[in-house]
Amino acid sequence: MTATAATLPTRGVDRAPRRVGTLTAYRWEITKLAAQARVRYTALGCLLAPIVAVVILAAQQSPPKDTLFGRHIHDSGYAMPLLILGFTSQWVLPLLTALVAGDLFASEDHHGTWKTVLTRSVSRAQIFWAKTLAAATFAVLVLTVLSASTIVSSLLIVGRQPLVGLTGQVIPPGTATVLVTVSWGSELVPLLGFTALAILLSVLTRNPAAGVAAPVVLGLVMELLSGLGGLNAARQLLLTTPFEAWHGLFTAHRFYGTLTTGLIVCAAWSVGCLTLSYILVASPRHHRRLNPMRTRSIRFRPRRVLPVLGAAGTMLLLSACGSSDVTAARLEASLAPTFADLYVQQAAILGHPDTTVASTDAHATCDKGGPKVADVGAGADWICMIDFTDQDHVPQTGKFEVQAHTDSCYTAGGPSKLIGLQTITDTAGVDVTNPVFEFDGCFDPPRGVTT
């Protein structure tokens, strides 16, 4: 019996090509990233750089005082990772994620590989989400390695001493371990927001150098805007502001409003950037305009980032509206109890354990720049008078110079004739840091319109 054409087995060449899934494309992207020397060196730098930084900072005789927890890096191993966190969140984290996210899509244009990538076996949507997941994976990786290396090396080199919080309270080692870890973990939310922004700029510019550099530049612009007075609600819309949300974890009465607001803001940035990026990548016109023979000569065109620059300009205009979160009432309400907690610590060091916060009975009165200046806004011209009862039960009044910051934190320094020098001698004859000579504090910024 002769086989007919209908009964012949179907050969593989006649079958419809099987499309791969997003996870398969994701594995391809991860494999490509793992093969890049730049990615491996970045991960290695995140592992080794914190160790070097901790060793150098621990060896310095004069600790940095212009950053939160900087003056405590020799007294507690938990202060060191918080100091490094304050620096890396401003300058390092946006750069780390942009190294990959800002290059993922632009490199395909640069090398002329879109024609190869967008074959019948994978759709534009699948390749977009695969690249996005790969960029997010790299962001999680670098943050995990960087935080683990910083925290572990700090505890091994400095120690697990109690940490002085941002309202003068003493945080025990167990609680400090949890809070420091959560603080580093909270940076993932804005880091993913910058990842989405870098993806958008990579798609818009089609230039790897611009895709990497532009998110960092925009981050610096946002940092400058954050330092301007009168931001009010507009400051909460900046992608860099959530990097500071961990401050509320280190006050006696913890506040989580900044964390919640930061989560919403970063989610909005991420959804907006990824939506626009997806529309561009999914559009056939986005790739039809590319000439594979000329992709190596693609130049960065400023008009492609005009929407992003327009959004930044809008933020700048909004920064001139509204009042500041820093007011005399909020400074007074935070400064007095913080000073009282620290003064009790000083009294215990000097051998007066009977001094308590209640016996200190501290009250503050703050004024900014004299009677002709409104008592509102950040700046170094705040003067606060603190009335309190000293360890010998004698009423005292001290003049404290306060520098208030736009992030609702401040640095206060008092008169050495009243509160002592930078170092004092404890009951064992050892010179230790004077907790009230100069100290940092933070208060909960209001949600909504300020007064």
Side-chain angles (χ1 to χ4, degrees):
M1 182 175 180
T2 305
T4 63
T7 61
L8 290 175
T10 303
R11 298 190 178 275
V13 294
D14 297 326
R15 296 174 183 173
R18 185 177 60 184
R19 301 182 69 87
V20 301
T22 302
L23 291 181
T24 302
Y26 167 71
R27 288 194 293 269
W28 292 344
E29 294 297 331
I30 291 296
T31 302
K32 289 163 57 178
L33 288 180
Q36 295 180 16
R38 174 181 55 182
V39 173
R40 297 196 298 269
Y41 290 148
T42 300
L44 182 62
C46 291
L47 177 64
L48 299 180
I51 301 175
V52 176
V54 170
V55 171
I56 294 176
L57 290 171
Q60 291 182 351
Q61 294 184 351
S62 300
K65 301 178 181 179
D66 56 348
T67 305
L68 289 179
F69 295 101
R71 58 179 51 84
H72 298 296
I73 60 173
H74 295 155
D75 303 323
S76 173
Y78 297 103
M80 186 75 75
L82 294 176
L83 169 68
I84 296 177
L85 176 59
F87 172 79
T88 56
S89 62
Q90 296 177 359
W91 317 105
V92 179
L93 292 181
L95 173 61
L96 289 178
T97 192
L99 286 174
V100 167
D103 181 65
L104 274 179
F105 291 89
S107 62
E108 303 290 357
D109 291 326
H110 180 71
H111 296 292
T113 53
W114 273 119
K115 294 289 185 179
T116 304
V117 172
L118 298 176
T119 62
R120 292 178 60 191
S121 62
V122 62
S123 66
R124 290 186 177 93
Q126 289 173 331
I127 198 63
F128 173 81
W129 291 116
K131 287 181 176 293
T132 300
L133 288 175
T137 301
F138 179 77
V140 173
L141 172 66
V142 295
L143 180 61
T144 301
V145 174
L146 190 65
S147 59
S149 178
T150 303
I151 296 172
V152 172
S153 59
S154 298
L155 296 181
L156 290 177
I157 295 174
V158 182
R160 298 183 70 254
Q161 304 89 340
L163 176 68
V164 178
L166 294 177
T167 49
Q169 83 282 16
V170 177
I171 305 175
T175 304
T177 300
V178 175
L179 294 180
V180 170
T181 304
V182 173
S183 297
W184 274 90
S186 68
E187 303 299 274
L188 179 60
V189 175
L191 181 61
L192 292 178
F194 267 99
T195 302
L197 177 61
I199 289 175
L200 173 60
L201 293 171
S202 178
V203 174
L204 279 175
T205 63
R206 300 179 181 176
N207 184 290
V212 172
V216 180
V217 173
L218 287 176
L220 296 178
V221 172
M222 292 182 191
E223 285 290 340
L224 293 176
L225 291 177
S226 296
L228 298 178
L231 277 173
N232 196 16
R235 187 177 187 274
Q236 304 303 319
L237 302 178
L238 299 175
L239 191 54
T240 52
T241 301
F243 280 128
E244 308 165 352
W246 58 271
H247 297 169
L249 301 177
F250 292 89
T251 57
H253 301 284
R254 296 173 194 149
F255 52 89
Y256 306 96
T258 50
L259 286 170
T260 303
T261 303
L263 177 61
I264 297 173
V265 169
C266 291
W269 275 85
S270 299
V271 170
C273 291
L274 292 180
T275 299
L276 182 55
S277 301
Y278 177 80
I279 293 174
L280 292 174
V281 172
S283 172
R285 295 181 59 190
H286 180 72
H287 306 285
R288 192 181 300 131
R289 288 193 299 265
L290 294 176
N291 184 346
M293 304 301 296
R294 300 179 58 190
T295 50
R296 293 184 179 273
S297 62
I298 291 177
R299 296 181 179 180
F300 167 64
R301 297 179 181 178
R303 64 179 178 83
R304 291 174 178 162
V305 294
L306 285 179
V308 179
L309 295 178
T314 302
M315 292 293 182
L316 180 59
L317 293 176
L318 289 174
S319 67
C321 305
S323 57
S324 173
D325 293 339
V326 182
T327 63
R330 296 190 183 99
L331 273 180
E332 293 165 358
S334 176
L335 183 63
T338 300
F339 169 81
D341 279 332
L342 295 171
Y343 188 79
V344 169
Q345 297 175 33
Q346 183 201 58
I349 293 173
L350 297 176
H352 300 276
D354 56 332
T355 303
T356 63
V357 172
S359 66
T360 301
D361 191 27
H363 300 276
T365 304
C366 297
D367 177 80
K368 186 177 189 292
K372 296 183 179 181
V373 178
D375 296 334
V376 175
D381 52 350
W382 281 94
I383 300 296
C384 294
M385 306 299 297
I386 299 182
D387 299 316
F388 66 99
T389 302
D390 66 13
Q391 57 199 14
D392 297 321
H393 308 289
V394 178
Q396 302 285 356
T397 299
K399 178 182 177 181
F400 285 72
E401 297 179 355
V402 179
Q403 180 176 4
H405 308 286
T406 54
D407 59 358
S408 300
C409 294
Y410 58 87
T411 301
S416 57
K417 292 183 179 180
L418 181 62
I419 61 175
L421 299 176
Q422 185 173 358
T423 59
I424 55 178
T425 305
D426 63 12
T427 54
V430 179
D431 290 338
V432 298
T433 302
N434 184 353
V436 292
F437 178 78
E438 195 173 47
F439 56 90
D440 296 314
C442 290
F443 56 85
D444 186 6
R447 306 274 79 79
V449 180
T450 59
T451 57

